[in-house]
Amino acid sequence: MLHIKTLLHLPLLLLVAGAALAVPPVPAPPGVAGSGHLLIDMHSGRVLAESNADSRLEPASLTKIMTVYVAFHELRHGKLKLEDQALISEKAWKTPGSRMFIEVGKRVSVEDLLKGIVIQSGNDASVALAEHIAGSEETFASMMNQHARRLGMQNSHFVNATGLPSPEHYTTPRDITKVTAATIREFPDLYAMYAEKEFLWNNIKQPNRNLLLNRDPSVDGVKTGHTEAAGYCLVASAVRDGMRLIAVVMGTAGENARATASLALLNYGFRFFETHRLYGGGDTLVETRVWKGSEQQLALGVANDLYVTIPRGQYGQLQARTEVDSLIEAPLTLGAPVGKVLVELAEVPVAEVPLVALRDVGEGGMLRTALDSVLMWFE
């Protein structure tokens, strides 16, 4: 039997006169003329618009989001340094497509290669960085696939670091949002590179191909892509009033089409939805009785910050409650699930996450264990 408790400390906003009135329904999202698209709130993960979000599509240079993610991961774990010098191979120098214009036999810093990838979408820089990190582009692609599996990208497979066409090189709009969100969440300082509007290398100044960086100040990334087969693709992310959205548009007809469609999706999400952080990870929400333990009371909460995304103007209708397992016995470890937190909007579920132990509880002594064994019969 569960112990159910309404959470009275849901941080409700101050309601103004008229806030309880019916809110107009959210209109349908704008259409996108492309092969697939997805709009999500990064913090809550709520999908706000989608079409063919799980279709395996050719990603073109959206691939480089994963290429850069792997490099950021190596940097964060001390296996790579921004000032490291990569020797440019003939293969990297000859790689076709968009270029940073590095020269064979020269050494280029990891930081410059990253900027050449992020800002100039350089295929040559992508191969050079892959070879520097893994020895070969093929081995680097294996690293990309390992990270993809870890991030839950179930419909992605990479065979190169550039996005040049290959039958076995594919991803989906949903999978691309996963690596994009991971990049922003795990490496916020390095992610700032995606907002840079131009990069000068070898006396050649090239602008960032993400047109939205100049059209909307709330946009701070992420990456464009194009091949004849893939069409024009764009992953865009923006923050307004603390709410971050990620829009993926794939297979549109041109540079302006992908930018216009992406901005339309972002504007739709910000206009008709709002995101709230309800509870912090590790904050105590309720306490419960622990049987046969070294302690009798245990604080419970959520492991990570709990966000919800809801239609604008409906925050006052949110309700939250906990359902706690009955007869919880020690030993318990930090993070052990012992129930769940449910959040509803007008009686419709919008979030359900595990309710977890916020500290370890060891086994009690012989007397406590014996006494609780008897008391539990009366519960």
Side-chain angles (χ1 to χ4, degrees):
M1 181 176 182
L2 297 173
H3 298 294
I4 300 175
K5 181 177 180 179
T6 301
L7 295 180
L8 301 178
H9 53 292
L10 184 69
L12 294 176
L13 299 176
L14 179 64
L15 299 179
V16 298
L21 297 177
V23 178
V26 174
V32 175
S35 55
H37 69 269
L38 180 66
L39 175 69
I40 68 163
D41 179 274
M42 193 191 87
H43 290 113
S44 70
R46 175 162 176 178
V47 173
L48 307 180
E50 66 177 311
S51 176
N52 295 330
D54 295 306
S55 296
R56 293 180 174 180
L57 304 172
E58 182 180 323
S61 285
L62 300 189
T63 298
K64 292 165 184 158
I65 300 174
M66 176 57 80
T67 301
V68 172
Y69 176 86
V70 175
F72 284 177
H73 191 272
E74 296 294 291
L75 285 165
R76 185 52 44 86
H77 288 81
K79 300 177 182 179
L80 188 68
K81 296 179 180 178
L82 289 173
E83 59 269 24
D84 286 351
Q85 300 292 310
L87 180 64
I88 307 306
S89 69
E90 186 173 357
K91 176 186 176 181
W93 175 63
K94 286 185 174 180
T95 303
S98 52
R99 303 178 62 78
M100 175 185 171
F101 299 106
I102 50 180
E103 299 176 61
V104 64
K106 298 291 182 68
R107 290 190 177 274
V108 180
S109 72
V110 167
E111 182 174 12
D112 284 335
L113 288 176
L114 282 168
K115 290 183 177 181
I117 298 169
V118 169
I119 303 170
Q120 298 175 337
S121 197
N123 288 345
D124 51 357
S126 299
V127 174
L129 186 61
E131 291 177 337
H132 179 71
I133 291 174
S136 72
E137 187 178 11
E138 292 75 20
T139 302
F140 186 82
S142 295
M143 295 176 66
M144 296 169 71
N145 289 322
Q146 289 172 356
H147 282 287
R149 288 191 292 272
R150 181 176 58 80
L151 294 173
M153 300 170 65
Q154 299 179 356
N155 290 297
S156 296
H157 186 259
F158 302 101
V159 300
N160 60 57
T162 61
L164 288 173
S166 171
E168 296 303 313
H169 191 94
Y170 53 81
T171 189
T172 70
R174 196 178 314 279
D175 278 359
I176 281 292
T177 65
K178 292 179 180 179
V179 64
T180 300
T183 300
I184 298 169
R185 183 172 54 249
E186 296 176 30
F187 317 113
D189 52 338
L190 294 168
Y191 171 71
M193 204 176 288
Y194 281 98
E196 296 187 28
K197 296 181 180 180
E198 60 185 20
F199 181 52
L200 176 67
W201 176 259
N202 203 16
N203 293 318
I204 301 172
K205 182 185 290 185
Q206 295 188 68
N208 195 313
R209 301 183 184 202
N210 183 358
L211 299 179
L212 294 188
L213 292 175
N214 293 312
R215 293 187 183 182
D216 189 319
S218 70
V219 174
D220 59 10
V222 181
K223 189 74 191 71
T224 61
H226 171 254
T227 64
E228 185 175 349
Y232 289 83
C233 309
L234 175 60
V235 177
S237 187
V239 181
R240 300 180 192 173
D241 297 325
M243 179 180 180
R244 179 178 285 278
L245 300 181
I246 298 173
V248 178
V249 171
M250 302 180 72
T252 65
E255 291 184 13
N256 190 61
R258 70 187 175 190
T260 300
S262 297
L263 188 56
L265 287 172
L266 292 172
N267 286 336
Y268 168 80
F270 287 123
R271 169 64 180 83
F272 294 106
F273 294 90
E274 58 191 26
T275 295
H276 299 279
R277 176 182 175 273
L278 301 185
Y279 307 111
D283 292 348
T284 298
L285 301 186
V286 294
E287 292 194 352
T288 191
R289 175 75 155 87
V290 179
W291 301 91
K292 303 180 182 179
S294 57
E295 302 177 49
Q296 294 188 36
Q297 291 294 314
L298 173 64
L300 308 178
V302 291
N304 303 301
D305 291 353
L306 174 56
Y307 289 86
V308 295
T309 300
I310 59 175
R312 285 202 172 273
Q314 298 192 21
Y315 187 84
Q317 298 184 53
L318 282 176
Q319 294 182 324
R321 71 178 189 274
T322 61
E323 293 183 355
V324 184
D325 297 345
S326 60
L327 300 180
I328 298 172
E329 297 184 43
L332 285 168
T333 58
L334 172 69
V338 291
K340 55 188 176 182
V341 178
L342 301 101
V343 183
E344 296 179 341
L345 177 66
E347 300 183 353
V348 176
V350 294
E352 180 179 318
V353 297
L355 187 68
V356 302
L358 295 182
R359 63 176 181 272
D360 297 334
V361 177
E363 292 186 35
M366 294 180 60
L367 180 60
R368 169 56 57 192
T369 300
L371 178 59
D372 281 358
S373 296
V374 173
L375 294 175
M376 286 171 67
W377 282 99
F378 298 96
E379 286 292 314

